[in-house]
Amino acid sequence: MRDVILPGSLNELWRCFEDKPQAAVYAGGTDLLVGVRHGLLNPEALICLDRIEELKGVGERGGSIRIGSCATHVQLLDDPLITSHLPVLWQAIRGIGSPLVRNMGTIGGNICTASPAGDTLPPLYALRAEVELGSKEGSRRMPIAEFIMRPGATRLQRAEILAGVWVKKPGEYNLHHFEKVGLRNALACSVVSMAALLRLAPDGAVEKASLAWGSAGPTIVTCPEAEEALIGKPLSTEPLQEAAALVRKAVSPISDVRADADYRRIVAGNLLLRLANVLK
Amino acid sequence: MRISFYLNGEETHVEVPSERRFVDVLREDLGLTGTKESCGAGECGACTILVDGQARLSCLMAAAQLQGRRVTTIEGLAADGSLHPVQEAFIEYGAVQCGFCTPGVVLAAVHLLDRNPDPTREQIREGLSGNLCRCSGYVKIVDAVEAAARKMRGGTPQ
C-alpha cells in the first residue's frame, strides 16, 4: 500500500512534493479514492489537503470573492457570501451527489476532476471565475475555461495545486438560475445542466446574459450567439426558442449510459426554454 | 502507521497502513461490524459514520485521515446501554427491514437532526438521500425520523 500524507500547511505540502513528486493530491476523496480503488490510477503516494487551513474558507477582497479550494460543498451552502452573492453556484452545489458526498467533497476537487458533468463548473464558467494555482514558486491565476483542457485534464503542473477560485461579485445580474437534469434527484451525475445569469430590465427585456451548459460537450459549453440573441428581448417563448436553436448547434454531446447525444442536444436547448417558467 | 483517534468516546490507537480504508479498520481490525460496506464508491451510504459529529463515508477515508478525530459508529450511539431516540423510533415505527442500510441511515439521521432539529418530511428525505434502502422502506424511515425529531425537541428544555 502507498503512503497517505497529510501536510498541515502549504510549506509542509511543498516539502511533501519534493519527497514524492509523482504523488496524487486529494481533499474529500469522493472522486480520487474511487478512481484509485478501481485501478484507474496508481500514484506513488497520496497527499490529502484536508488539514491545510490556508486552503479553506471563503473571503472577500475588493469586489471579488475568494473560495478556498478545500472548502467543502456543505461549508459553501452555509456561507453567507455564497448565499447572498452567488445563488447560481449555491443552487448547483445543492444538487451535488448526496449530503454525505457534500460533507466530504470540495469545490477544488469538483474543478480538478474536470468532468464535463461537474456541477460547479457551469456556474463558474458563467461567472467568468478565475482559478488560483499555487506551488513552491508562487501563485498564478487564469480563467477557469483556460484551466480545464479536456475531460480529466487541467493545466496543473507537477507539484502545483489549485489553491482557490476567484469570482467577481456579479452585481450586474438580477437573475441567477441553475438546473440539472439527472436520472434521479440525489446521487445523480448530470445528463445535461445549465447555469444562467441574466440582467432583466424593469420591462422584462434581457440586458445582459451569461450562459453555460454541463455534460453537453468535452468541457463546459458556452454560447455567445445565444446570449446575444436574447439581448433586448423578454424571456418569452419565441426569443427563447430562437436562442435554443443556437444552443443546439453549439453543443457537442456524447452518447453514454445516461443518455444519447440527440437527447442531450434537445435538452440543452429545452433548459433555456424553461427560463420562461422561472419568472412565473 | 500509528494512528490515534477517539472511537465512540474512547482513545484508540491502531497500527495500520496509512492508505487502509477506514471501513476496513473498523470492521476487520477493530471488529466493529455495525458499519457496513456495500458499493465502496460513495453512492449508497451503508458505511456512514460520524467524524467530529458530521456524517461521512468510511469507505472513502484513508486511515491516516482519522488522526486526532472523534469518530462515532453505530456501536457508539448507545454506548451507555440506552438507545438513541432515533434508534428507539426506528424500532417503534418498524423502519427496519433487512437492516443492512440501517446503521448508516440512523447516523445520517442523527447528523441531520443535529443540523436541523425540526425538519419537514421533504427535508428528511433530502437529508437521507445519500443512504439507499433496497428493501424500499423509506416511508417508515421518514416516519421514524420525524417522530425522533419530535421526541428530541420535547426532551430538550428551551
Side-chain angles (χ1 to χ4, degrees):
Chain A
M1 280 191 148
R2 56 181 79 72
D3 283 340
V4 179
I5 309 161
L6 280 92
S9 68
L10 287 175
N11 281 333
E12 264 184 54
L13 171 66
W14 311 140
R15 281 199 295 276
C16 291
F17 277 132
E18 281 168 19
D19 294 342
K20 309 270 185 189
Q22 309 283 345
V25 168
Y26 76 102
T30 57
D31 276 318
L32 187 102
L33 295 186
V34 176
V36 169
R37 181 165 157 77
H38 290 167
L40 303 177
L41 64 170
N42 187 21
E44 66 166 330
L46 293 169
I47 298 177
C48 178
L49 305 180
D50 187 36
R51 304 287 171 109
I52 305 181
E53 288 304 319
E54 296 127 289
L55 297 176
K56 298 180 182 179
V58 183
E60 211 176 349
R61 211 171 297 167
S64 293
I65 294 169
R66 181 187 185 274
I67 305 171
S69 59
C70 291
T72 62
H73 299 306
V74 77
Q75 280 164 0
L76 297 180
L77 289 176
D78 289 344
D79 191 284
L81 282 172
I82 306 296
T83 53
S84 56
H85 296 291
L86 304 174
V88 68
L89 182 61
W90 188 91
Q91 291 168 37
I93 291 173
R94 203 164 173 274
I96 290 178
S98 70
L100 301 163
V101 170
R102 295 194 291 273
N103 287 343
M104 303 174 77
T106 62
I107 189 166
N110 200 246
I111 295 169
C112 290
T113 295
S115 162
D119 284 330
T120 65
L121 299 179
L124 292 174
Y125 274 62
L127 289 160
R128 309 275 189 271
E130 286 195 357
V131 292
E132 176 195 326
L133 312 180
S135 70
K136 198 183 167 193
E137 278 68 46
S139 73
R140 59 187 182 129
R141 273 168 72 158
M142 69 176 72
I144 190 160
E146 199 178 302
F147 178 66
I148 295 177
M149 296 158 67
R150 55 183 182 275
T154 68
R155 293 199 187 275
L156 275 180
Q157 305 276 308
R158 186 163 297 162
E160 187 178 48
I161 59 154
L162 175 65
V165 193
W166 289 84
V167 182
K168 282 203 184 79
K169 281 190 205 165
E172 70 269 40
Y173 297 108
N174 51 21
L175 183 84
H176 285 229
H177 174 76
F178 176 84
E179 185 170 358
K180 155 170 148 179
V181 174
L183 300 184
R184 58 199 301 283
N185 287 335
L187 292 165
C189 190
S190 88
V191 167
V192 186
S193 63
M194 182 190 74
L197 291 167
L198 297 160
R199 184 172 75 222
L200 301 179
D203 68 354
V206 176
E207 293 182 332
K208 196 171 160 90
S210 184
L211 309 166
W213 284 262
S215 301
T219 57
I220 300 305
V221 175
T222 53
C223 185
E225 310 88 86
E227 291 166 3
E228 269 166 45
L230 291 174
I231 301 299
K233 296 173 188 154
L235 293 180
S236 57
T237 311
E238 209 173 299
L240 286 170
Q241 266 175 345
E242 196 183 310
L246 297 168
V247 173
R248 294 190 186 110
K249 274 189 200 140
V251 296
S252 54
I254 55 162
S255 296
D256 64 13
V257 290
R258 281 178 285 281
D260 65 34
D262 288 342
Y263 176 79
R264 286 193 159 101
R265 189 179 299 281
I266 293 165
V267 172
N270 290 1
L271 285 174
L272 194 62
L273 298 184
R274 283 161 77 147
L275 284 176
N277 295 328
V278 172
L279 295 178
K280 283 178 186 160
Chain B
M1 182 186 183
R2 184 177 161 86
I3 295 158
S4 303
F5 62 104
Y6 294 88
L7 178 57
N8 298 326
E10 286 185 22
E11 208 174 338
T12 304
H13 310 280
V14 289
E15 184 72 41
V16 294
S18 59
E19 197 194 353
R20 189 157 171 78
R21 298 183 315 158
F22 192 55
V23 65
D24 297 330
V25 174
L26 286 171
R27 290 180 54 85
E28 292 173 25
D29 303 339
L30 296 168
L32 295 179
T33 53
T35 305
K36 307 302 182 199
E37 182 187 359
S38 182
C39 75
E43 296 184 15
C44 77
C47 68
T48 301
I49 56 168
L50 302 181
V51 179
D52 295 329
Q54 192 183 42
R56 285 177 164 245
L57 298 156
S58 60
C59 77
L60 295 182
M61 292 189 80
Q65 289 177 255
L66 271 298
Q67 190 74 39
R69 300 290 193 211
R70 293 183 177 275
V71 175
T72 304
T73 66
I74 195 68
E75 289 89 348
L77 213 52
D80 65 356
S82 56
L83 294 178
H84 187 282
V86 171
Q87 292 173 304
E88 284 177 351
F90 268 60
I91 295 170
E92 192 181 335
Y93 283 78
V96 178
Q97 288 190 46
C98 86
F100 196 84
C101 71
T102 308
V105 177
V106 167
L107 289 168
V110 167
H111 182 219
L112 167 70
L113 296 181
D114 187 40
R115 273 173 69 87
N116 179 1
D118 189 11
T120 63
R121 285 184 76 83
E122 191 49 41
Q123 286 168 333
I124 294 170
R125 291 173 62 86
E126 207 281 326
L128 301 181
S129 59
N131 297 81
L132 301 188
C133 165
R134 291 297 83 162
C135 303
S136 191
Y138 293 115
V139 173
K140 290 182 175 182
I141 289 174
V142 176
D143 290 346
V145 176
E146 219 177 11
R150 269 198 305 273
K151 191 169 178 182
M152 287 165 75
R153 285 198 308 277
T156 313
Q158 294 296 312

